[in-house]
């Protein structure tokens, strides 16, 4: 399936992804870079690859995102790697994605044609919306505050404060955003969150979140009833 790869809000390449090891949630493909990749990203990729002491922080700082052709942004638990070898200029560059949920691979990549990702009033996100929603959520959770500020004010800790989050889709009628989440010892993988857009940590109990085991549960519980109401 065709995909776009972003670093922050910048398109850095495309790839026609294929399924590798299904049990590991693996996808791979030839990475076709943009000029922005060559100008701004490639040297960092080379430096990370050649580092004698592995350090994941510079790689995570790239804030890589992969968006499939139908609009879905992947949330790979095992991360994304770009195999760009400095000593082999002109050689194909490979992208590998690990830890994609099998139900996502089955329903939205392998199935022919793939299932619709979203239906109105729900809609897919642009990369700017995705990063914007994630940034706002972190502010409302208090994740952007310093540890000293937390110690001095002792604000309530939101359940999702220590979770990894990835904005997934939104309800165009309001400020409800579905996030894919990863939290230790928690078996729900999606959270529907009503952002308040205060730009700062919210009071106890906010932003409100409802949790779902997987995307199918969310679709049957929330999206399909919303579609029926929208079409009336």
């Amino acid at each position: 399936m065709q995909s776009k790869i972003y670093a922050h809000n910048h398109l850095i390449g495309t790839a026609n992804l294929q399924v590798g090891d299904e049990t590991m949630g693996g996808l791979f493909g030839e990475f076709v870079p943009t000029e922005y990749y060559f100008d701004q990203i490639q040297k960092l990729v080379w430096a990370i690859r050649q580092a004698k002491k592995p350090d994941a922080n510079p790689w995570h700082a790239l804030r890589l995102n992969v968006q499939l052709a139908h609009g879905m942004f992947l949330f790979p638990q095992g991360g994304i790697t770009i195999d760009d070898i400095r000593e082999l200029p002109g050689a194909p560059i490979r992208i590998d994605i690990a830890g994609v949920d099998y139900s996502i691979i089955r329903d939205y990549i392998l199935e022919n044609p793939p299932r619709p990702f979203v239906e109105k009033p729900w809609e897919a996100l642009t990369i700017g919306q995705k990063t914007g929603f994630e940034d706002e959520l972190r502010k409302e959770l208090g994740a952007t505050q310093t540890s000293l500020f937390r110690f001095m004010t002792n604000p309530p800790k939101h359940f999702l404060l220590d979770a990894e989050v990835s904005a997934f889709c939104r309800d165009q009628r309001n400020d409800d955003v579905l996030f894919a989440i990863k939290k230790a010892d928690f078996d729900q993988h999606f959270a529907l969150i009503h952002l308040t857009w205060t730009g700062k940590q919210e009071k106890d109990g906010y932003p409100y979140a409802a949790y779902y085991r997987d995307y199918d549960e969310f679709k049957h519980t929330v999206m399909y009833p919303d579609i029926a109401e929208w079409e009336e």
Side-chain angles (χ1 to χ4, degrees):
M1 175 174 284
Q2 289 295 329
S3 65
K4 296 178 180 179
I5 297 89
Y6 296 91
H8 291 273
N9 289 354
H10 300 284
L11 179 67
I12 64 169
T14 60
N16 186 12
L17 295 175
Q18 303 176 52
V19 178
D21 187 341
E22 293 181 18
T23 62
M24 298 297 291
L27 303 173
F28 71 94
E30 182 177 340
F31 176 75
V32 181
T34 62
E35 285 301 317
Y36 187 87
Y37 173 83
F38 289 123
D39 292 342
Q40 303 292 331
I41 306 296
Q42 187 176 48
K43 289 183 180 179
L44 178 58
V45 172
W46 287 344
I48 294 172
R49 179 182 176 84
Q50 295 174 341
K52 294 181 180 179
K53 186 176 181 180
D55 183 1
N57 290 327
W59 190 253
H60 291 158
L62 287 175
R63 200 173 182 176
L64 295 177
N65 276 291
V66 177
Q67 186 177 32
L68 301 181
H70 47 51
M72 178 186 290
F73 280 97
L74 298 177
F75 186 42
Q77 305 295 307
I80 302 167
T81 59
I82 297 175
D83 195 15
D84 184 355
I85 304 174
R86 186 173 190 171
E87 294 75 19
L88 297 175
I93 302 173
R94 172 169 164 145
I95 184 170
D96 283 276
I97 303 166
V100 178
D101 185 88
Y102 176 70
S103 65
I104 297 295
I105 293 177
R106 179 194 63 210
D107 297 338
Y108 301 98
I109 298 177
L110 288 178
E111 190 168 310
N112 189 20
R115 293 187 187 182
F117 167 42
V118 289
E119 297 179 60
K120 290 183 178 180
W122 288 84
E123 61 184 16
L125 307 178
T126 65
I127 185 61
Q129 288 174 323
K130 182 180 190 294
T131 57
F133 289 147
E134 292 166 0
D135 290 345
E136 176 61 23
L137 177 60
R138 291 188 180 97
K139 293 175 184 177
E140 294 180 21
L141 296 178
T144 58
Q145 294 177 349
T146 64
S147 57
L148 177 61
F149 178 85
R150 289 194 190 129
F151 175 77
M152 296 293 291
T153 60
N154 193 30
K157 181 179 178 181
H158 195 283
F159 179 73
L160 290 176
L161 181 60
D162 58 352
E164 295 179 37
V165 299
S166 177
F168 207 67
C169 58
R170 68 180 289 267
D171 186 339
Q172 62 180 276
R173 302 169 300 177
N174 50 44
D175 292 315
D176 286 349
V177 180
L178 183 69
F179 289 83
I181 63 172
K182 178 184 177 183
K183 181 177 171 67
D185 302 318
F186 189 57
D187 63 358
Q188 308 295 295
H189 300 296
F190 284 87
L192 178 59
I193 299 177
H194 184 81
L195 296 174
T196 61
W197 292 102
T198 57
K200 61 183 180 181
Q201 183 175 6
E202 270 292 355
K203 58 185 178 182
D204 192 15
Y206 294 91
Y208 174 78
Y211 301 101
Y212 304 91
R213 182 182 64 256
D214 52 31
Y215 189 45
D216 273 351
E217 182 181 13
F218 166 78
K219 291 183 81 171
H220 284 89
T221 305
V222 178
M223 185 179 290
Y224 292 156
D226 284 349
I227 293 170
E229 180 181 325
W230 178 267
E231 293 176 345
E232 288 180 355

